[in-house]
Amino acid sequence: MDKDRKDPVVTRALALALMRQALALLDAVGETAPAVHLKMAVDMMTGASHLPRDDGSGAA
């Protein structure tokens, strides 16, 4: 495992997988506030956005 941890791509993927597992566990026990923060961190790592998408309808 030490060899894998030296590869930044593998290390990042492992970190993301562990964060997603932790998120599921937090959700399961109703820890909403920490889950929200962890979800934001996961979204930042994956490039997801929390902002509503502009669908071009012009609606606010």
Side-chain angles (χ1 to χ4, degrees):
M1 189 96 161
D2 273 347
K3 179 181 173 257
D4 292 341
R5 290 182 186 224
K6 293 179 183 176
D7 181 350
V9 174
V10 173
T11 302
R12 186 178 186 282
L14 178 58
L16 188 57
L18 291 171
M19 290 167 67
R20 286 178 169 154
Q21 286 180 342
L23 180 58
L25 292 169
L26 289 170
D27 282 340
V29 295
E31 290 287 346
T32 305
V36 167
H37 289 280
L38 188 52
K39 174 72 170 123
M40 288 172 37
V42 168
D43 287 349
M44 287 177 67
M45 285 186 71
T46 60
S49 174
H50 287 285
L51 300 175
R53 292 186 180 171
D54 182 4
D55 63 2
S57 68

